[in-house]
Amino acid sequence: MEKNKTKIAKPKINDDLDSIYISRENVIDEVMFSSGIISECSLENLQGNRVEFKQVIFKNVIFNNITFRNIDLTDVKFQNCDLSNVDFIEASVYRVEFINCKIIGINLSEATLRDVIFDNCNGEYAFFSHSNCKQVAFLQCQLRSADFQNSMFSKVEFKESNLLMAQMNFTKLKGIDFTSCEIEGIGVNIADVNGVIVTPMQAISISSILGLIIK
């Protein structure tokens, strides 16, 4: 049985990868790193615009004070990485996996996400506002107080995830199944929840947020 219902394309990464070394000297605007592995290190105080990573594996990497706006991630895996508070605003993210990662406060606002899996990640206070998400799965993730406002969802899945106090105002949730998730305090508008799939108890919780009185 598949862990997630949504059919998501896996990253296409070659088996034979060279090690990639990243420093302030080789991170410049529009630089590309490809076909390699970055592991067991800390990346600190780096800035760049339109940096590209293609067919790259990040393993046990700590990102500290990283600003890669308009980053292009294609066929990339993040395994056991700490990407807390990184600035990836307006990112292009295609066939990417985040596995067992810490992404607290990550900024993926205005990003385009296609075929992306977040599996067992801590994404509390993460920013996905104004993002465009298609074929994206959040599996067993902590997303408390995450911001998904004004986003576009198509074939997006949340499974066994904590969405307490998450903000999804002005994001159409039709067809989204929240029945395995915690959604108390979720921020939504009446128009947002048309066609959403919830349990009876979750429906009562949402109704109270919207100011409805059930007798």
Side-chain angles (χ1 to χ4, degrees):
M1 180 179 295
E2 291 186 342
K3 189 173 182 180
N4 55 295
K5 297 178 182 178
T6 307
K7 187 176 181 180
I8 297 177
K10 296 283 188 178
K12 301 175 182 178
I13 302 177
N14 296 328
D15 293 331
D16 187 17
L17 298 176
D18 295 325
S19 294
I20 295 176
Y21 176 73
I22 294 181
S23 67
R24 273 185 277 185
E25 287 70 30
N26 64 4
V27 173
I28 58 175
D29 290 351
E30 301 185 15
V31 67
M32 183 174 74
F33 300 94
S34 63
S35 300
I37 183 167
I38 302 167
S39 64
E40 311 294 341
C41 65
S42 178
L43 305 180
E44 299 188 0
N45 304 315
L46 300 176
Q47 295 186 17
N49 191 44
R50 301 189 186 281
V51 177
E52 296 185 44
F53 293 93
K54 297 184 183 295
Q55 293 193 339
V56 172
I57 294 176
F58 292 87
K59 188 173 183 180
N60 297 318
V61 177
I62 297 173
F63 292 71
N64 183 22
N65 191 27
I66 303 298
T67 299
F68 288 160
R69 295 194 168 191
N70 299 287
I71 189 173
D72 187 328
L73 300 168
T74 303
D75 296 312
V76 173
K77 287 185 180 181
F78 295 91
Q79 299 175 330
N80 303 309
C81 294
D82 186 347
L83 298 103
S84 297
N85 299 312
V86 300
D87 186 351
F88 286 172
I89 192 171
E90 297 186 86
S92 298
V93 187
Y94 293 87
R95 294 187 302 276
V96 174
E97 294 181 341
F98 296 82
I99 310 297
N100 300 321
C101 290
K102 189 176 179 181
I103 55 171
I104 296 173
I106 190 173
N107 191 350
L108 282 164
S109 299
E110 302 180 56
T112 299
L113 288 81
R114 297 287 186 272
D115 293 296
V116 180
I117 291 179
F118 297 86
D119 190 347
N120 193 34
C121 292
N122 185 350
E124 293 185 351
Y125 305 101
F127 292 93
F128 293 91
S129 57
H130 296 274
S131 61
N132 187 319
C133 303
K134 184 175 182 180
Q135 294 177 207
V136 177
F138 295 88
L139 311 175
Q140 297 179 321
C141 290
Q142 294 292 325
L143 296 165
R144 186 184 181 98
S145 298
D147 186 351
F148 292 91
Q149 296 183 89
N150 293 284
S151 294
M152 294 180 61
F153 284 175
S154 176
K155 298 181 180 178
V156 173
E157 178 182 355
F158 295 91
K159 183 175 181 182
E160 298 177 12
S161 294
N162 181 344
L163 289 158
L164 296 174
M165 306 301 293
Q167 299 302 306
M168 296 192 175
N169 306 83
F170 307 107
T171 298
K172 302 299 182 185
L173 302 174
K174 184 176 182 179
I176 303 293
D177 187 343
F178 287 126
T179 56
S180 66
C181 300
E182 299 179 69
I183 63 169
E184 288 80 4
I186 192 171
V188 290
N189 299 325
I190 292 178
D192 303 331
V193 296
N194 180 34
V196 72
I197 303 169
V198 294
T199 67
M201 289 301 295
Q202 288 174 330
I204 293 173
S205 176
I206 290 176
S207 68
S208 65
I209 296 171
L210 299 177
L212 303 178
I213 299 173
I214 298 177
K215 293 186 176 179

